[in-house]
Amino acid sequence: MHKDIIDDQVKVGVVTISDTRDYTTDRGGERVQKFLEEQGYEVTREIVKDDIIEIRNIIDQFVYHPSIHAVVTTGGTGIAYRDVSIEAIEPLYDKKIDGFGEIFRYLSYTEDIGSKAILSRATAGVINSSPIFVLPGSVKAVELAMSKLILPELHHCLNELHK
């Protein structure tokens, strides 16, 4: 990728991490896709089980694919036994974007779910010069993250990574 990424067609991989969702019931992943496409992004979407190996395989496919520039995941960020998105993805980070999780939890607390926000382990980082945002699976959480954090900063983030 070159330094003028803001002028390129940006492609985003969207991954839903769930043992129970499919393409007909995945409202969170569908909402991420809609947000991105409304802003002119091209989207490739996948659904994987809550399994560390499966999650890492799809993340690797996306971040090492030459035409995918960023990744957004939904699901598996809570504290339940099957919630393994963080354990699967954070060890792959070249750099962690600490402010994303901090601000996401703050916004979740003030604008959405109150003190339940402490249970969110939403995170973001960089893998192979690709930003990756790891979101909860709820539609409200997706809408909050996409509208307040990801869409306002995605092009800037990509430009910073490729200047």
Side-chain angles (χ1 to χ4, degrees):
M1 204 169 348
H2 57 82
K3 75 189 258 186
D4 297 316
I5 190 155
I6 199 158
D7 297 324
D8 292 344
Q9 174 65 43
V10 176
K11 297 177 186 171
V12 181
V14 175
V15 180
T16 296
I17 300 163
S18 175
D19 288 335
T20 60
R21 300 283 185 246
D22 60 31
Y23 289 101
T24 62
T25 60
D26 176 25
R27 293 181 50 230
E30 181 179 45
R31 193 71 182 108
V32 171
Q33 181 174 356
K34 186 174 181 184
F35 264 104
L36 290 164
E37 289 176 345
E38 286 174 349
Q39 297 297 313
Y41 295 100
E42 188 174 321
V43 173
T44 299
R45 190 165 144 220
E46 296 287 340
I47 297 177
V48 298
K49 299 284 184 210
D50 288 289
D51 176 84
I52 290 176
I53 293 170
E54 283 191 44
I55 296 166
R56 286 182 178 169
N57 284 340
I58 193 64
I59 297 303
D60 281 348
Q61 287 176 35
F62 280 173
V63 298
Y64 292 103
H65 194 285
S67 69
I68 295 179
H69 306 100
V71 177
V72 178
T73 75
T74 67
T77 63
I79 61 169
Y81 175 76
R82 293 293 299 158
D83 291 331
V84 296
S85 296
I86 306 308
E87 290 74 16
I89 298 168
E90 273 195 350
L92 304 176
Y93 287 170
D94 299 320
K95 293 186 178 192
K96 186 174 180 186
I97 305 171
D98 292 312
F100 176 82
E102 295 164 357
I103 295 172
F104 175 78
R105 280 180 285 283
Y106 171 77
L107 291 172
S108 293
Y109 175 79
T110 60
E111 297 185 20
D112 188 16
I113 59 174
S115 61
K116 290 177 186 159
I118 68 168
L119 301 180
S120 173
R121 300 185 301 145
T123 183
V126 177
I127 305 170
N128 191 40
S129 298
S130 296
I132 179 166
F133 301 93
V134 184
L135 309 179
S138 83
V139 173
K140 282 188 172 186
V142 162
E143 290 173 346
L144 181 70
M146 293 301 295
S147 65
K148 300 278 185 158
L149 299 172
I150 297 171
L151 289 176
E153 295 302 326
L154 186 54
H155 271 300
H156 178 73
C157 184
L158 289 165
N159 282 326
E160 285 296 307
L161 289 167
H162 299 283
K163 64 181 181 180

